[in-house]
Each structure stands twice: as structure tokens, then as C-alpha cells.
Amino acid sequence: DTEVTQTPKHLVMGMTNKKSLKCEQHMGHRAMYWYKQKAKKPPELMFVYSYEKLSINESVPSRFSPECPNSSLLNLHLHALQPEDSALYLCASSQDNQGAQDREQYFGPGTRLTVT
Amino acid sequence: GDSVTQMEGPVTLSEEAFLTINCTYTATGYPSLFWYVQYPGEGLQLLLKATKADDKGSNKGFEATYRKETTSFHLEKGSVQVSDSAVYFCALSGGGSNYKLTFGKGTLLTVNP
């Protein structure tokens, strides 16, 4: 099973709202990722968690706050977003293994976020 | 730093035509190489991978060979179907403690019946 699930599928929020995106995997992967994808562009890395600890933050604004409650779950808390933050938010996971065989990332279906 | 260059398209083919999407890369060391596919309104799916020189990744009729001498990983399929219409991303992972995937810009493929 190589499934990563994300909820909700679609989200519309105002600039003063607080909302959260959720991601779950049951593949035993110990690295999890948040990406942002704008239309007709490749995904852009936002955050990397390794063994539930934040290991990479790609200079993401503080209105995005990641959380990794356990090895299977990853959240992205959203607050005071701007209209330009509207995008597809993708979660991914991979084996936390430096071996050459295990570097592939498995992506969820994404949350389509619209900020009004 | 690492980079991936792929033909941007769009590419439009008739059903049963031969497909090639070119991908070249720049990386230090020995990266792993991937092709991902994104169907409309969906996330990315891993299509195939190769982890060392001369490896051939294959899946669903698609193939790509890791060519270190030409730093290339071109995607091919002998006979495309309408259902192959999607965006294809070439990507690499440099390995080590760096978990980042470096993506190409993506190629939109449209297959007409």
C-alpha cells in the first residue's frame, strides 16, 4: 500500500480564518513533506519532517505552521493567509533512509486551497 | 546546485503514437532519478525510478534509462493512449541527508483519439 491521504480535498477560507490541513500515511515512512503547487508549475517544497522533527523549512512565512503529532500524521495550520497563498497543497512521505533504493516520495491527492 | 531540464511542451500526439519526453540533469554525486505523472485535479504519482547508471525504470508501458554519460533520463512509450494525457515531471534526489526532490518544469501531454 503506497497511499497517502489528505483532508480536506477542497478548502475555501477568508484571510482572517484559521484552518488546518491533514495528511496521513501508514507505510511506516519516517520522512514527511509539505509542498505548495501553483497552476502549471512543479511542486515547491515547504517543510520536511524526519522522525517527527522539523528538519527543513524553506523560508516559509509564519502564517503556515506545520506539526507532526506522530510518525503517521502531518498537519499544516493556516492563519491570516493571503489570496496569493491559493494553491494545491501536497503532502508526501518517504523512507527516512539514506540508501539509494529508498529516495522516492509518495504524494497524496492534495488539498485545493482558495483564500478569499 | 542540482537542476533538471525537461522539454516543456505542450506535446500533442495521436493515439498509438510514439512518445519521447527529454530530461537532462545536473547533480553532484549519484542521484536517483524519477518520473512522476499528474493527472488533472490529482496529486503526483510515481511512474518509474532508477537509482544507478544504466538502470532502466519501467511501468505501464513507460520506460526510462539512467544515462550517466549524457546525464539524461528520457521518458518513452511505444504507443500512447488517451488516458496517458497528463503532466509529466522529471525529478532527481541527490541523496545523503538531503531529502529534497528537484523537479523539472513539467511537460503537458495531450493524446487525441
Side-chain angles (χ1 to χ4, degrees), chain A residues 37-86:
Chain A
Q37 187 181 26
K38 301 287 266 185
K40 300 186 188 299
K41 298 289 187 183
E44 299 174 18
L45 183 65
M46 300 174 72
F47 303 103
V48 180
Y49 273 84
S50 174
Y51 289 87
E52 296 113 67
K53 294 190 188 307
L54 183 65
S55 61
I56 296 176
N57 177 342
E58 292 287 285
S59 302
V60 178
S62 60
R63 57 185 184 269
F64 295 91
S65 176
E67 178 196 21
C68 189
N70 60 54
S71 60
S72 299
L73 294 174
L74 187 66
N75 299 321
L76 186 63
H77 303 299
L78 313 173
H79 174 55
L81 294 192
Q82 304 298 309
E84 59 265 29
D85 296 323
S86 298

Side-chain angles (χ1 to χ4, degrees), chain A residues 37 58 96 101 104-105, chain B residues 36 38 49 51 93 99-100:
Chain A
Q37 187 181 26
E58 292 287 285
D96 186 26
Q101 306 297 320
E104 64 266 32
Q105 295 181 21
Chain B
Y36 283 88
Q38 187 171 32
K49 71 173 186 178
T51 58
S93 174
Y99 301 104
K100 293 184 182 182

Side-chain angles (χ1 to χ4, degrees), chain B residues 8 11 13 47 49 56 66 77 79 85 87 108-109 111:
Chain B
E8 292 187 30
V11 174
L13 297 173
L47 183 59
K49 71 173 186 178
K56 177 185 282 188
Y66 189 142
K77 187 176 186 183
S79 176
S85 298
V87 178
L108 173 61
L109 170 66
V111 180

Side-chain angles (χ1 to χ4, degrees), chain A residues 9 31 33 35 37 40-43 45 48 50 55-56 58 88 90 95-98 100-109 112, chain B residues 30-32 34 36 38 41-46 49-52 55 89 93-101 103-106 108:
Chain A
K9 191 172 177 62
Y33 311 78
Y35 289 85
Q37 187 181 26
K40 300 186 188 299
K41 298 289 187 183
L45 183 65
V48 180
S50 174
S55 61
I56 296 176
E58 292 287 285
L88 181 67
L90 294 164
Q95 297 274 13
D96 186 26
N97 186 324
Q98 297 183 14
Q101 306 297 320
D102 301 304
R103 297 179 193 168
E104 64 266 32
Q105 295 181 21
Y106 294 92
F107 286 80
R112 177 75 59 189
Chain B
Y30 304 94
S32 292
F34 309 94
Y36 283 88
Q38 187 171 32
E42 298 185 11
L44 275 70
Q45 296 179 25
L46 178 65
K49 71 173 186 178
T51 58
K52 61 183 187 294
D55 266 2
F89 291 98
S93 174
S97 61
N98 182 341
Y99 301 104
K100 293 184 182 182
L101 276 178
F103 288 94
K105 292 186 176 181
L108 173 61

Side-chain angles (χ1 to χ4, degrees), chain B residues 1-31:
Chain B
D2 297 344
S3 67
V4 174
T5 303
Q6 65 177 103
M7 55 187 288
E8 292 187 30
V11 174
T12 302
L13 297 173
S14 297
E15 207 164 23
E16 299 184 2
F18 184 85
L19 169 71
T20 299
I21 301 177
N22 291 335
C23 172
T24 57
Y25 68 90
T26 302
T28 55
Y30 304 94

